[in-house]
Amino acid sequence: GYDIDQSLRFYEIDTSRLERTPSSAGNRKTWTWSGWVKRSHLNVQNFLFSSADSSVRNWFGFYNNQLWFDHTNGAYVKSDALYRDVSSWYHIVVAWDTTQGTNTNRVKIYVNGVQETSFSATTVPSQNSQFDFTNNLYVGKAGAAADADFSGYMSEFVYLDGTQAASTDLGEVDSDSGIWKPIDVSGLTFGTNGAYLD
């Protein structure tokens, strides 16, 4: 088995966040974000990560308890499902690859190993469009100008630069309990701007 030993506590009142300035843009057409998340405040906007400033919108997280991905080039994805359980951990994966010829394969969202396929709103990105990672990468905040900080716990933060991963690259079903659980991801290829925070 593989156990998670620690997490970070984010508190929106303190504007808690992680922030990193990338050394280069990296692969802006293909990447994956993954994290284990436990919410503690069901506010209107509760974002998990972003690369945004006052002029661009590149963020992902909870909006009115739905999962919401918003990209400045017009890509816009919002789940039908609501995520309001503050007692459970969610494993959330966003996998972006605009080189895909099939437009519905360009943005994939997984929750606890299951791909989201039902959306209340969706505008897929155009082929070969680029996510704007030239700004700082924020974890637990929706950018420098947005008031949408995350409240809750986060662990096993993974950012793969240059790979559109599947959920099974980042977790697995426990054969005894049937529960989705973490796996050791240290052997994955992280790419130029990739990161792993355990």
Side-chain angles (χ1 to χ4, degrees):
Y2 180 78
D3 294 322
I4 294 176
D5 295 322
Q6 56 225 349
S7 62
L8 288 180
R9 173 73 157 85
F10 293 82
Y11 187 44
E12 63 180 313
I13 302 303
D14 294 336
T15 63
S16 308
R17 69 180 184 270
L18 300 176
E19 182 178 344
R20 185 177 75 159
T21 302
S23 58
S24 66
N27 190 329
R28 295 167 59 192
K29 296 180 182 179
T30 308
W31 53 266
T32 301
W33 181 92
S34 168
W36 289 80
V37 176
K38 184 177 182 181
R39 304 185 71 190
S40 63
H41 187 191
L42 303 181
N43 55 354
V44 175
Q45 297 182 89
N46 213 212
F47 290 106
L48 300 174
F49 77 90
S50 70
S51 176
D53 60 19
S54 59
S55 62
V56 298
R57 302 188 318 272
N58 298 296
W59 52 57
F60 175 80
F62 299 99
Y63 187 86
N64 289 333
N65 301 314
Q66 297 166 286
L67 285 173
W68 186 38
F69 181 94
D70 194 3
H71 182 248
T72 192
N73 77 354
Y76 181 88
V77 178
K78 187 184 288 186
S79 69
D80 276 331
L82 300 175
Y83 296 94
R84 297 176 291 199
D85 187 350
V86 295
S87 66
S88 296
W89 284 87
Y90 296 108
H91 180 224
I92 300 172
V93 177
V94 182
W96 168 281
D97 185 2
T98 59
T99 67
Q100 295 281 341
T102 303
N103 62 2
T104 53
N105 288 333
R106 295 175 193 158
V107 179
K108 297 179 180 180
I109 298 172
Y110 302 88
V111 179
N112 296 335
V114 178
Q115 185 176 350
E116 288 281 347
T117 57
S118 181
F119 300 101
S120 62
T122 179
T123 302
V124 297
S126 57
Q127 190 167 21
N128 294 315
S129 62
Q130 301 185 79
F131 193 87
D132 194 351
F133 276 128
T134 57
N135 299 295
N136 286 0
L137 174 64
Y138 297 93
V139 178
K141 186 175 177 66
D147 181 19
D149 298 345
F150 176 66
S151 277
Y153 298 86
M154 198 179 306
S155 190
E156 291 287 288
F157 170 88
V158 174
Y159 172 58
L160 304 176
D161 182 10
T163 301
Q164 185 188 48
S167 61
T168 50
D169 296 320
L170 300 150
E172 66 182 7
V173 175
D174 184 277
S175 58
D176 294 324
S177 66
I179 296 173
W180 186 255
K181 68 176 186 179
I183 59 174
D184 185 356
V185 298
S186 61
L188 295 175
T189 300
F190 293 90
T192 302
N193 286 328
Y196 172 42
L197 302 177
D198 62 356

